[in-house]
Amino acid sequence: MSAQPVNPNLPPDHVTVFIDGVEMAAPKGSMIIQAADKAGIPIPRFCYHDKLAIAANCRMCLVEVEKMPKPAPACATPVMDGMKVITRSEKSLKSQRNVMEFLLVNHPLDCPICDQGGECELQDLSMGYGRSVSRFSERKRVVPDEDIGPLVATEMTRCIQCTRCVRFTAEIAGTYELGGMYRGENLQIGTFDGKPLTTELSGNVIDVCPVGALTNKVFQFKARPWELTARESLGYHDALGSNLFLHTRRGDVLRTVPRDNEAVNECWLSDRDRYSHQGLYAEDRAQRPLVKDNGEWREATWDEALSRAARILRDNGGDNLGVLAHPATSNEEGELLARLAQAAGTGNIDHRIFQHDLSDAAIAETFAMPVVEIEKADVVVIVGSNLRQELPLVHQRVRKAWTRGAKVHVVNPVDFDFTFDIAGKRIVAPSQLAAALSDEALREIAKAGNHVALIVGAVAENGPYAAAIRAAAKSFAQATGARLCRIPQGANAVGLARHGVLPSARDARAMLTDARGAYVIYGIEPGLDFADTESALRALGAAQVVAFSHYACRSTKAVADVILPIGLLPEVDATLTNLDGLSQVAAAGGKLPGSARAGWRVLRALGGELGANGFEFTDLAGLRSGIVPREVSPAASLAPSVAGEGLEVAMSTAIYRSDATVRRAPALQSHPLNQEPRAVLNSKDAAALGFSDGAVGKFSAGAGTATLPVAISDKVAPGTVWIESGHGATAPLGAGRVQAGRA
């Protein structure tokens, strides 16, 4: 290695290295393994992962470096100018084979029954570097397993102590739940306290594990990798639109794994997206068309059901009809719903079913700072959001920014849990969130930053003070130069806004408070998906309802007259538009249940039954070719009334109760993050009302009354009660104020 640069024409931050005789440029400070990967030169490894800190504890990547007497670990040896590395020399191969021999000393010979078999890094590398006969006759050690929850299965005897899982929970998830215990040959990986993993990203330890020590408990013993077919799809439970693969066998979705996309989800996947496929196979899945005669449900043919639906729409055209779509509805379905509303002569069409306050005519907007740039921010302000549960992988990006020195400030009605330190917090009642954004000290902090993200979440967007908070956030961004990132309320809220699923007359709240004669509801579970459940059920119950539904659930059957079974996203070809404005394509993976059909096909058939324009296409390509983004500017509606006395409600969505499919995934419902419905009060309010921790309280709003267990926590702002939506027990309570008393 010369003191003079080998190649003086390289940029000043690069050096020249030679790997297996191949000359290449590598950034200063990078490791040999990174340079080799960039050049496509394979070096075996177990502990190294390009998203995790370097541990250098498996030693599988030992290589020969000129002028170094001993083999060097490629993952932990920085490149130097003129360095010559040989990865396939006799010294390198002997070192790698010796390491493999030691790794296999205690590894059990259970490949035939191991879920990792067929996609195991240890299995693959042992074929190239392992011996056919072991030289060791000692008894293999056995490590007891511990139950770490309903999502991840353990077989720790297989563990090779690469510590990838330890580093993942520490660095990426930020929960520090796994670690090494004991020393030497007794070293084992575990949770210390024997409790289940509580991170919302726990399934990623399965992906990073190079052996079968940590596997997918839901998928366990279901199939072999070579039996599975991979289909590209998307996460549809939040607005990020994580890229993923559905692994199917004979049309059944057996597991979900991440698909790399650095601009969206990197190589990670939230547990909500990974395990929700269980909900596809719920007992109440809508499988056949149903019609109601004299209050009784019966199965019908598609022709009969479509004829009944068409008759309802013909009898209730114009302003008498309301069209309501779930905000995870695809772009293609949204386009056809807009055409259907136009054909019926109604301007009452909306997807903003979670929101109380649309008095500013707000619609979903793309992030002003792309997700990939959030990790580069130096100041992040989070307003009205339980970000860790609302957008787990955006929360992870904020954590990454924090590890690089960013200061994170929060303005919330509840001191929600985050996996990073908070530089400043303002925990105030929901009605004070807008005023808190006017705080001059907070604005000065934001002005001092060069790259500032202002993230506004569901607690703010869906509450009764949403318009005031949005105005305050916009003013804050204009005054400080912060980039405003309002989280779209729904997996495809941005796409539906672009495709015209917005009202030119009544919005979602208005068409339910001022009931219409008939409704089309699309992909909605009426008993749990509306902002104001009581008024929604009252309006729908008194009207004629055509339900395009994934589930024939009790609340749908209570209000509908016709149920048309449609496919969920993993079962259809569709596009969704995420919070960065990226339109992403999902391919059908699972088979449709029973005689259910893709939603666009059912809408096309109904449009044809009505003789409407815009339904003449014959396939999905024909539909997509005719889609033109629509410019719809919804009118402002009246602000909800929040007058009166009582506790202000801070309503957040329970992480695993966010939509109908997630609510039907048994593994997610067993997760410790999925808590029972409850009302959480500040200790001062609890004392004033005579509540003790665990007492049962009665909470009454204008729409209804809920009886809930009471929890006491000073993380809740005084004068506020924190309640999670998505539960039947909390459904009677909308945002606003409640009167509380002992049950």
Side-chain angles (χ1 to χ4, degrees):
M1 288 172 277
S2 171
Q4 297 298 319
V6 173
N7 185 351
N9 297 320
L10 286 179
D13 58 344
H14 281 64
V15 296
T16 299
V17 294
F18 301 86
I19 302 180
D20 291 345
V22 179
E23 180 181 347
M24 64 190 71
K28 287 182 180 178
S30 63
M31 303 299 158
I32 292 172
I33 201 168
Q34 293 166 337
D37 285 350
K38 188 176 180 181
I41 298 172
I43 296 177
R45 81 288 302 271
F46 289 117
C47 69
Y48 176 77
H49 190 286
D50 62 0
K51 293 289 184 180
L52 303 175
I54 292 169
N57 55 10
C58 79
R59 274 352 204 209
M60 192 65 211
C61 64
L62 291 174
V63 294
E64 183 179 359
V65 180
E66 186 181 65
K67 299 183 181 179
M68 293 183 70
K70 294 181 179 180
C75 69
T77 305
V79 295
M80 299 179 66
D81 200 44
M83 175 183 277
K84 294 182 179 179
V85 179
I86 309 170
T87 69
R88 306 290 295 173
S89 68
E90 183 179 352
K91 181 188 286 189
S92 297
L93 291 174
K94 184 178 180 181
S95 300
Q96 292 162 0
R97 285 173 180 148
N98 287 340
V99 169
M100 175 60 70
E101 184 175 17
F102 278 109
L103 287 175
L104 293 177
V105 166
N106 281 311
H107 196 79
L109 301 176
D110 57 2
C111 296
I113 62 164
C114 177
D115 258 349
Q116 199 81 350
E119 52 188 6
C120 172
E121 294 176 48
L122 181 64
Q123 196 177 50
D124 292 342
L125 290 178
S126 68
M127 292 295 292
Y129 300 90
R131 297 175 182 268
S132 59
V133 178
S134 174
R135 293 186 291 170
F136 288 79
S137 58
E138 289 83 357
R139 178 179 295 176
K140 291 178 181 284
R141 78 168 189 162
V142 176
V143 179
D145 294 322
E146 61 175 300
D147 187 351
I148 58 174
L151 307 182
V152 181
T154 57
E155 191 72 51
M156 300 312 294
T157 300
R158 300 170 184 158
C159 178
I160 61 171
Q161 291 88 45
C162 71
T163 70
R164 280 187 185 178
C165 60
V166 175
R167 284 173 284 149
F168 174 83
T169 59
E171 299 164 17
I172 307 300
T175 52
Y176 300 91
E177 295 178 89
L178 292 172
M181 298 178 286
Y182 312 114
R183 297 177 67 84
E185 69 173 357
N186 295 318
L187 175 66
Q188 56 184 267
I189 304 300
T191 63
F192 300 108
D193 57 9
K195 294 181 180 178
L197 298 180
T198 58
T199 170
E200 64 286 353
L201 304 175
S202 65
N204 293 287
V205 300
I206 300 164
D207 301 326
V208 300
C209 182
V211 296
L214 300 172
T215 55
N216 187 323
K217 188 175 280 190
V218 172
F219 175 70
Q220 200 170 26
F221 311 133
K222 293 279 178 63
R224 285 301 195 180
W226 54 84
E227 298 179 88
L228 303 176
T229 301
R231 292 283 185 266
E232 294 185 357
S233 192
L234 304 168
Y236 58 106
H237 309 298
D238 60 45
L240 182 62
S242 295
N243 289 209
L244 53 87
F245 286 109
L246 300 171
H247 284 178
T248 68
R249 183 182 62 184
R250 295 190 290 275
D252 293 329
V253 180
L254 297 184
R255 70 172 174 183
T256 305
V257 298
R259 176 162 52 99
D260 290 2
N261 187 330
E262 287 298 311
V264 182
N265 56 307
E266 300 180 85
C267 61
W268 313 122
L269 200 60
S270 70
D271 290 343
R272 186 165 55 195
D273 287 331
R274 186 184 297 267
Y275 294 101
S276 65
H277 65 85
Q278 280 190 299
L280 301 177
Y281 307 107
E283 290 184 2
D284 62 350
R285 206 47 219 277
Q287 300 193 33
R288 292 170 185 81
L290 299 173
V291 296
K292 185 186 287 184
D293 288 330
N294 300 318
E296 297 294 327
W297 285 101
R298 64 174 176 82
E299 291 185 7
T301 65
W302 270 107
D303 287 343
E304 182 185 3
L306 289 168
S307 177
R308 178 78 67 91
R311 187 163 69 246
I312 291 173
L313 297 190
R314 287 193 195 97
D315 293 345
N316 295 276
D319 191 46
N320 205 36
L321 176 67
V323 179
L324 295 160
H326 193 281
T329 302
S330 71
N331 289 328
E332 292 83 359
E333 294 164 305
E335 169 69 21
L336 292 181
L337 283 169
R339 294 183 191 180
L340 188 68
Q342 186 175 17
T346 182
N348 305 328
I349 176 173
D350 208 349
H351 68 276
R352 299 169 298 170
I353 60 174
F354 302 152
Q355 294 168 272
H356 281 86
D357 184 7
L358 296 168
S359 58
D360 58 346
I363 61 173
E365 298 172 350
T366 57
F367 273 21
M369 178 183 289
V371 164
V372 72
E373 292 183 20
I374 289 177
E375 64 190 56
K376 302 173 186 175
D378 51 10
V379 177
V380 180
V381 181
I382 300 171
V383 180
S385 176
N386 186 359
L387 187 63
R388 181 177 169 188
Q389 298 194 6
E390 191 175 351
L391 283 174
L393 290 175
V394 172
H395 171 271
Q396 184 266 329
R397 296 270 192 180
V398 176
R399 173 178 167 77
K400 194 181 290 189
W402 169 76
T403 61
R404 293 173 173 172
K407 302 298 182 184
V408 184
H409 296 258
V410 298
V411 180
N412 264 332
V414 180
D415 189 5
F416 294 117
D417 290 332
F418 301 101
T419 61
F420 37 77
D421 294 335
I422 303 300
K425 62 181 68 171
R426 291 153 181 81
I427 307 303
V428 297
S431 61
Q432 301 305 308
L433 291 176
L437 281 174
S438 301
D439 182 86
E440 198 56 40
L442 181 60
R443 292 195 171 201
E444 289 301 318
I445 291 169
K447 288 177 183 177
N450 296 317
H451 206 52
V452 183
L454 173 61
I455 302 174
V456 181
V459 178
E461 288 280 346
N462 296 340
Y465 307 99
I469 297 169
R470 284 189 285 263
K474 186 175 181 180
S475 172
F476 183 95
Q478 291 173 340
T480 63
R483 310 274 286 280
L484 179 57
C485 303
R486 291 176 44 228
I487 298 175
Q489 297 308 299
N492 196 38
V494 172
L496 294 176
R498 290 179 175 178
H499 289 81
V501 187
L502 288 170
S504 57
R506 290 174 172 82
D507 61 28
R509 179 169 169 267
M511 68 176 94
L512 291 171
T513 53
D514 183 8
R516 305 293 87 202
Y519 295 90
V520 172
I521 59 174
Y522 199 94
I524 295 170
E525 186 171 8
L528 292 172
D529 283 341
F530 286 109
D532 188 340
T533 303
E534 293 298 312
S535 65
L537 292 179
R538 190 163 50 247
L540 295 172
Q544 291 181 288
V545 176
V546 176
F548 291 76
S549 188
H550 309 117
Y551 299 94
C553 63
R554 184 169 56 184
S555 63
T556 301
K557 286 185 172 181
V559 301
D561 294 277
V562 183
I563 296 178
L564 304 174
I566 57 174
L568 283 154
L569 187 73
E571 301 160 343
V572 300
D573 295 307
T575 59
L576 302 180
T577 305
N578 79 345
L579 48 71
D580 278 339
L582 298 174
S583 287
Q584 304 183 105
V585 178
K591 64 185 177 186
L592 290 159
S595 59
R597 298 287 182 266
W600 68 267
R601 290 185 181 276
V602 182
L603 285 165
R604 174 185 170 275
L606 181 57
E609 188 80 19
L610 291 169
N613 292 327
F615 294 86
E616 297 82 9
F617 56 91
T618 57
D619 56 18
L620 193 60
L623 166 58
R624 287 172 172 167
S625 66
I627 294 178
V628 178
R630 300 165 184 253
E631 293 291 334
V632 178
S633 299
S637 62
L638 292 175
S641 174
V642 288
E645 298 181 352
L647 297 169
E648 292 188 39
V649 176
M651 186 74 76
S652 66
T653 303
I655 183 170
Y656 299 135
R657 307 286 301 175
S658 56
D659 60 59
T661 305
V662 171
R663 291 191 283 263
R664 287 165 173 78
L668 294 177
Q669 297 311 302
S670 302
H671 195 278
L673 285 179
N674 193 58
Q675 299 193 36
E676 293 297 315
R678 57 183 183 152
V680 187
L681 299 172
N682 184 280
S683 59
K684 294 180 181 178
D685 297 317
L689 292 165
F691 284 131
S692 59
D693 202 27
V696 177
K698 183 178 287 186
F699 299 86
S700 300
T705 299
T707 302
L708 300 168
V710 172
I712 299 174
S713 172
D714 285 337
K715 288 189 171 186
V716 180
T720 303
V721 55
W722 172 35
I723 295 171
E724 289 188 316
S725 65
H727 296 281
T730 61
L733 303 177
R737 293 181 180 269
V738 294
Q739 297 291 332
R742 297 186 66 86

